[in-house]
Structure formats: C-alpha cells, structure tokens
Amino acid sequence: MTENVSISQSILTSLGGGSGIDIFKLARDLADVEKEPKQLAIQSSIDKSEASISGYAAMSFQLGVVKSAFESFDDVSELATSQSTSSNSDVVEITTISGETTRGTYDINVNQVATEQRTVSNTFSSANQSLNDESFNLTIAVGNQSVSNHTVTIDTTTPDGIVTSINNANIGVTANLVRLGNSSDEYQIMLQGDKGLEGAFSVSSSVDLGFGDSSNTLQTAGNAQFVFNGLSIERETNDVTDLMDGATLTIKAPSEETVSVRVSSGENLLKGSLQNMITAYNDLKGIMDALVDSDSEIENGGALVNDYSGVRFVEQQIRDAIFDDAETASGSISSLRDLGVSTDKNGQLVLDEEIFDDVLTNDYDDVKMMLTAGTDNQSEFTAASQGLAQSVILKVEELVGNDGIIADRKENAESAVEDYQDDMIKLEERIELLYERYLAQFTAMESLVREMNNTRDYLEDQFEMMANVGKK
C-alpha cells in the first residue's frame, strides 16, 4: 500500500501536475500532530514509573543500612566485650583485656619504666681475636636482693666464643657480638639482662674483658615505678598483669601528666553503634521526605509523590518498631526511649548523651538484656522472646522482603513501565497507519486536481481555437 502510494506520488511530482503541495510532509505533519501529545503523555508515565522504581530502590537500600546498624548490637557477646581507652597511649595503656575486667577509670602517673642492664666489653680487633692461650671462667652474679652466682667456662677464647658460651649457659643474661663499623672495624660484646632490679648483673674474670668498668655500663637495671589510683606501685616489668583481672597494663614512658585509662564492657561500642543507627534512620527519613516532595531538588525528588500513603506507612512501621517496648524488657529498661533516644520536631532521631551515659553506668546489664535477649544469633523461627534489636531487624526484613510492601510497589511500577512501553509501540503502529491513510487520500486528491487541471487546459485550448476560427 505504502509502496503504491509512493509511486503514485512520484509520478505526480515528476509530471508537475496536481496542487504543488508536498503531500508527504503534509501527511507526516498531520500524523505527528496526533502522535506528539499522546507520545509525551506515555513517555511522562514511563519516566514517572522509572523514577518510582528508583525511589523504592533507594528506600530499600537505606532500610538495609538501618538493619545493619541494629545488627551491630543484636548479640549479647558484642556488648559484653570489654574495651579500653587511654588519654595518652604513648605513656600507658591496656594492651590485652578480657570480659571479666572490672569496668572503671584508672588514673596513672608513670615515674619510671622498667629497664634492663646493658653492659659492653672492651673493643676487639676481630670476632676471632685470641684473648687467652687457654680456657678461663667468667663469674656472672645475677640479681639485686637475691643474687645467683654463675660460672661460665670459656673454652673458645675469642669474642665469638665468649658470646656462644654465655648464651648457652641460659642464666638470664644474653650476649651479642656487635661490629662497630668504625675506622678500625672493631667489635664489642654487649650483655643484656632481664628488665627490673632483679635483672641486674656483674661480671668478673681472670682475663680482663672490660665488663667491670663502670664506663662500660650503658644502662642500669630498674623497676617500673608508677602511681595507680593513688597507690605507689613498683614492678620489674612494664607489662603489669596483676592489677586488674584479665587485663595487661603496659607502661611505656615516664610522664609528669596523669593518664586516665578507662575500661568499659561494650559501652563505647554500643554508643557508637547507636549513633550509627540514628544517622542511618535520619538519612532514611530524609530520603522518604524527599521522595514525596514534588519541590525537592535532589535526584528522584518527588518520585513517589503519588504513593504518599505507602511511603508514610513504611516510615510509621519502622519508627514504631524502633520505639516499641522490647519483649525482653529488664529492670527499668524497656525501650530505646529509656536509653535517651527520642525524636525532634522534624521527626529526626536524637540521643540524649547524659541519659545514655547514666543508664549505661547504672543499668548496663538491663540494657544488654533489652536489646539482645541475653543471647547470640537470635532467629525468627524460635519461640523465645526477641530482643529489641532483633525485632527491628525482622521488621525491616518484612518491609523489604519479596512479599513486602516495597517489593510489591516496585513490581507494580516495573509492570507499568512494560505496559507503557507496549502502549508506545502500539501508538507508533497506529500513527504509521494514519500517515499512510493521509498519504493515500492526498494522492487521490492530487490525481483529481491533475485531471481537473488537464480538463481546464483542454477547454482553454478549445476556446482559443474557436476564437481563432472566428477571426478568419
């Protein structure tokens, strides 16, 4: 049909007959007049539906962030782990800690760290320099209050042989042969004892090796000395394990300042996790507000303005879950409200840190029970009561799951896009048929006009011939 019409139009155009109108353009313009408003309406519906899909996806993603925040404190073991902080970890800190460590804040003044004695020998020309023609003994006295005397026989009378013999004796003094790298390329033996006063030692021998010279003592042995919550403490080591159950206090450097070391049983973890949850929820609230605000300037702002009730339903569901009383309320702690969590005038979550800190100081065990039911790895398939954190997690899973409201709304929007795309294809087909119909009509009109023009030309020729006959 279209091919025949096009041939007819080509013939008419080539003969120069007809009205002289570009019927192709006219037919296309008339068809487009009908097409454009319908096409724009369908495309607008597609754009809105695709924006809705993105909006539901944004809600679902942010709900997942809220869920992750609650998962950080839904197990009691996560909140029972003791933690420590130091106001100056370069001076003193707790380096190992276990759950039984007593919570509290400890003030420490470090006067002196525990040190080990370091003594060097005279210098030698080489590692294998012969120091005596026959074997000799070293007498090494180790200790301060309780002294142990040790005799070390040197059979290989070289610096390297002395080092080997001392280390093999295993008496609490270690030896190293150090190459000085000076112009004479000399060597020295360095002896080192254990930390603390009882690690002090003295060396004597029939062969003068220089260990007895006071100038060869680089560092003396000393105990760590510090004040612990007002008590003067002295230890032979810098790693003190007998002051706090399950904790190792590590002394690092002397300092005039008082350093505060705090032990907490998960309080810092919970506070950080709770603040992360509040941020996640507030971000969710901001996203939902923007999605139903046609004046919002953010990406996909107003995308769900036609589903205002659905968005607010999700918001109400998650807010109710967060502020609901826990099934495992304990003591005076039954909900996040008791931890200082509330909403401001804009519906944003806020944390009263003074209330939070007071509750965790006095009722931390009740807080753990309320949030976690005192268990790990809670499941929706058990009959046991759920802690509040798990209850919120299950509510989020209900909202974003395959059978949830968000998945249902998103699926409807995706189905609508497919329908609109089908409508667009059908519109294109209808408009093409309309174009061909217009073109056929205009071709017929052109043929008629051409015939009329031919008739006119014939009559004009006849009249002109008749006029010429009369003149003869």
Side-chain angles (χ1 to χ4, degrees):
M1 174 70 176
T2 303
E3 183 179 356
N4 293 335
V5 172
S6 299
I7 293 173
S8 300
Q9 173 61 19
S10 299
I11 293 173
L12 288 171
T13 302
S14 64
L15 293 175
S19 64
I21 298 172
D22 184 348
I23 62 172
F24 273 129
K25 184 176 184 305
L26 180 59
R28 179 58 66 192
D29 288 346
L30 290 174
D32 286 346
V33 167
E34 291 202 31
K35 172 186 175 182
E36 288 180 3
K38 297 176 181 178
Q39 185 182 48
L40 289 174
I42 295 173
Q43 187 60 51
S44 176
S45 297
I46 290 176
D47 292 342
K48 289 179 180 178
S49 295
E50 289 180 339
S52 296
I53 293 171
S54 297
Y56 292 125
M59 283 177 56
S60 182
F61 174 81
Q62 194 58 37
L63 279 166
V65 176
V66 172
K67 175 187 172 185
S68 295
F70 275 95
E71 286 175 338
S72 68
F73 53 86
D74 65 331
D75 290 336
V76 69
S77 61
E78 293 170 327
L79 303 183
T81 303
S82 295
Q83 295 180 318
S84 68
T85 57
S86 172
S87 62
N88 190 339
S89 59
D90 292 331
V91 175
V92 61
E93 66 176 341
I94 296 177
T95 52
T96 61
I97 195 168
S98 62
E100 66 266 19
T101 304
T102 304
R103 293 185 294 132
T105 300
Y106 306 91
D107 293 331
I108 301 168
N109 294 87
V110 179
N111 301 317
Q112 177 179 299
V113 298
T115 56
E116 66 277 8
Q117 179 179 336
R118 294 174 187 169
T119 298
V120 294
S121 67
N122 295 328
T123 57
F124 308 110
S125 61
S126 72
N128 298 313
Q129 176 186 343
S130 177
L131 303 178
N132 202 47
D133 294 335
E134 58 184 6
S135 62
F136 63 94
N137 293 330
L138 290 179
T139 300
I140 303 177
V142 180
N144 182 41
Q145 297 296 323
S146 177
V147 179
S148 298
N149 292 303
H150 304 275
T151 299
V152 179
T153 300
I154 310 299
D155 292 322
T156 303
T157 61
T158 64
D160 192 45
I162 293 172
V163 168
T164 300
S165 296
I166 293 175
N167 289 335
N168 288 342
N170 193 25
I171 58 176
V173 175
T174 57
N176 287 285
L177 187 60
V178 181
R179 178 171 172 266
L180 300 181
N182 54 17
S183 59
S184 301
D185 200 21
E186 295 175 313
Y187 290 77
Q188 272 185 306
I189 299 171
M190 175 178 286
L191 302 182
Q192 180 171 306
D194 294 332
K195 282 186 171 63
L197 284 176
E198 290 305 311
F201 61 87
S202 62
V203 182
S204 63
S205 67
S206 57
V207 177
D208 184 14
L209 301 176
F211 291 125
D213 296 343
S214 60
S215 61
N216 281 351
T217 297
L218 306 181
Q219 177 176 286
T220 60
N223 290 340
Q225 298 177 1
F226 57 96
V227 177
F228 181 82
N229 273 0
L231 295 176
S232 294
I233 306 294
E234 187 169 337
R235 293 291 185 271
E236 294 181 354
T237 177
N238 291 318
D239 295 320
V240 182
T241 60
D242 58 354
L243 284 178
M244 295 175 287
D245 290 340
T248 298
L249 185 70
T250 298
I251 306 300
K252 295 183 175 182
S255 176
E256 294 181 358
E257 71 170 305
T258 299
V259 178
S260 292
V261 177
R262 184 185 181 206
V263 176
S264 58
S265 299
E267 295 98 322
N268 291 339
L269 172 65
L270 177 57
K271 189 171 188 177
S273 297
L274 199 60
Q275 289 171 330
N276 289 339
M277 182 279 292
I278 289 173
T279 298
Y281 175 84
N282 290 341
D283 288 344
L284 172 66
K285 178 71 167 62
I287 289 172
M288 290 191 291
D289 288 346
L291 289 173
V292 295
D293 181 4
S294 57
D295 295 326
S296 175
E297 296 181 355
I298 72 167
E299 184 178 1
N300 293 324
L304 299 181
V305 68
N306 292 326
D307 191 20
Y308 183 91
S309 60
V311 173
R312 292 313 182 199
F313 173 80
V314 172
E315 179 184 344
Q316 187 66 47
Q317 288 284 299
I318 193 66
R319 185 170 59 245
D320 287 350
I322 289 174
F323 283 107
D324 197 8
D325 287 343
E327 296 177 6
T328 56
S330 179
S332 61
I333 308 301
S334 59
S335 72
L336 289 180
R337 295 186 303 274
D338 299 320
L339 272 63
V341 179
S342 62
T343 56
D344 62 15
K345 62 180 181 180
N346 297 314
Q348 299 273 301
L349 295 187
V350 292
L351 175 66
D352 188 319
E353 296 193 24
E354 185 175 346
I355 293 176
F356 180 86
D357 292 340
D358 182 66
V359 168
L360 262 64
T361 298
N362 299 304
D363 303 298
Y364 188 58
D365 289 340
D366 292 330
V367 171
K368 289 189 292 184
M369 177 59 70
M370 184 272 289
L371 290 174
T372 70
T375 64
D376 288 341
N377 303 317
Q378 297 177 75
S379 171
E380 62 179 306
F381 303 109
T382 62
S385 297
Q386 305 284 351
L388 179 70
Q390 179 67 9
S391 296
V392 176
I393 290 169
L394 293 178
K395 175 56 68 175
V396 172
E397 291 176 347
E398 175 188 326
L399 292 171
V400 303
N402 292 333
D403 298 326
I405 180 175
I406 295 178
D408 182 61
R409 293 290 210 276
K410 184 180 178 183
E411 183 178 346
N412 290 341
E414 291 170 342
S415 178
V417 169
E418 293 177 359
D419 291 342
Y420 290 134
Q421 289 173 339
D422 289 341
D423 291 343
M424 188 71 80
I425 293 173
K426 293 175 182 178
L427 175 63
E428 291 286 351
E429 293 172 348
R430 289 198 305 271
I431 293 303
E432 193 59 32
L433 290 174
L434 179 62
Y435 165 75
E436 291 176 1
R437 186 163 64 249
Y438 279 141
L439 198 57
Q441 292 172 350
F442 293 152
T443 299
M445 178 195 71
E446 284 292 290
S447 297
L448 179 60
V449 171
R450 178 173 173 274
E451 291 176 3
M452 293 177 63
N453 286 342
N454 288 341
T455 300
R456 180 198 64 198
D457 293 341
Y458 171 76
L459 291 175
E460 286 179 349
D461 290 343
Q462 292 299 313
F463 287 141
E464 184 175 351
M465 291 175 59
M466 292 173 61
N468 289 336
V469 171
K471 291 178 180 180
K472 294 179 178 179

